[in-house]
Amino acid sequence: MTGATTNDEVPGGAAVRWVWLFLDTPVADAERSWAFWSEVTGQEVVDRRGERDEFATLAPPQGDPWLKLQAVGSGRGGVHLDLDVEDVHLAAARAEALGATRVGAIGDTVVVLRSPGGFVHCLTTWDGRAGRRGQPRDGLTSILDQCCLDVPRSRWEAENTYWQRLTGWAWRASDEPGYASVSAGAAMPVRILLQTLGEEDGEVRGHVDLACADRATDTARHVAAGAVVLEERSFWTVLLDPVGRVHCLTDRPPSPAR
């Protein structure tokens, strides 16, 4: 893929109505992680649910939420995406035709998949409400709005094609080689950035990025809340949150003309 592509035609029942960006954290670290992300995003932890209160939502001051929290029983945690659609079975069949692998399902409302490069994501049944209010950005100084997929070189073409065709969103290559984005524009608060890794092969991994009006100020704020700076780059800063999850602060404007 080169340059930019416009939206693909996606069958109505498989069209993405809303996207949820999940922060997955081992149970032992969940409360500490949730408190940190609530503080640095300015969003309240609400709607605790599940048999062991293992799920929660981060609620913004206005507009629809798009960030969710999950305490996981094993592994190191990480991030994943839930894509709300009207017909999960139609959307899942389409995803498999595009190269995804089905991992499992939860009843008739959730299908768990791996992308061609191995990134876990879910197709979930849209409740008809999420996305109705949108997500106003006026006045924001920072916003957690991006899932960055770290893609080995051998997976690059397949992973870019998959996400562009699955979502039907516009795909655009960056001016800097090895970066591309998939975005629905202002209609959706979450965008997907793909970046190549130094390695040739392996599984696609993910982390979250924040858009910042003043990166230095936000870096200081994250550090005060318990984060550790790993690396400073010309356009972004790499940090670890208090439980060891990588995230980046970028110079992208939080209220862009999208």
Side-chain angles (χ1 to χ4, degrees):
M1 300 175 72
T2 58
T5 62
T6 54
N7 297 39
D8 275 356
E9 187 68 29
V10 179
V16 178
R17 300 297 187 183
W18 197 244
V19 176
W20 300 95
L21 179 48
F22 271 78
L23 298 171
D24 304 319
T25 309
V27 170
D29 293 327
E31 290 296 332
R32 192 156 49 109
S33 173
W34 293 9
F36 171 82
W37 287 105
S38 175
E39 181 175 348
V40 298
T41 61
Q43 300 187 23
E44 183 182 0
V45 178
V46 300
D47 189 25
R48 291 180 180 248
R49 58 200 183 279
E51 294 181 0
R52 296 172 299 279
D53 283 346
E54 67 268 31
F55 296 99
T57 301
L58 284 175
Q62 58 180 338
D64 287 304
W66 70 95
L67 300 174
K68 287 191 176 182
L69 306 164
Q70 180 176 3
V72 296
S74 60
R76 299 176 59 187
V79 303
H80 78 268
L81 294 170
D82 278 11
L83 283 66
D84 276 3
V85 297
E86 294 180 15
D87 187 332
V88 294
H89 301 293
L90 173 65
R94 186 168 180 274
E96 289 177 288
L98 293 172
T101 302
R102 185 185 295 244
V103 176
I106 303 173
D108 289 326
T109 61
V110 180
V111 176
V112 185
L113 301 160
R114 288 186 180 272
S115 71
F119 183 73
V120 173
H121 57 293
C122 299
L123 295 170
T124 47
T125 303
W126 185 51
D127 65 6
R129 299 191 303 272
R132 296 287 191 187
R133 294 176 294 167
Q135 185 47 60
R137 292 185 173 223
D138 292 344
L140 291 179
T141 58
S142 69
I143 184 171
L144 198 171
D145 67 341
Q146 184 164 270
C147 180
C148 180
L149 302 184
D150 303 312
V151 185
R153 286 190 295 266
S154 64
R155 309 277 193 172
W156 180 251
E157 290 291 335
E159 201 70 9
N160 276 270
T161 299
Y162 175 76
W163 288 103
Q164 195 275 322
R165 295 194 63 193
L166 179 70
T167 60
W169 297 352
W171 177 92
R172 183 175 296 276
S174 171
D175 293 336
E176 185 174 351
Y179 293 87
S181 63
V182 179
S183 173
M188 201 78 62
V190 177
R191 71 198 295 266
I192 299 171
L193 177 72
L194 300 101
Q195 66 174 10
T196 52
L197 297 176
E199 63 214 45
E200 180 63 26
D201 206 357
E203 285 201 340
V204 174
R205 304 184 290 276
H207 66 268
V208 297
D209 293 341
L210 290 85
C212 305
D214 184 337
R215 179 160 51 107
T217 296
D218 277 305
T219 298
R221 195 162 56 82
H222 280 236
V223 169
V228 175
V229 174
L230 287 183
E231 185 180 8
E232 292 272 3
R233 301 289 293 270
S234 59
F235 187 72
W236 68 90
T237 301
V238 185
L239 302 97
L240 290 177
D241 76 0
V243 302
R245 178 187 287 107
V246 172
H247 65 286
C248 295
L249 305 179
T250 77
D251 288 334
R252 290 181 300 107
S255 301
R258 296 166 60 127

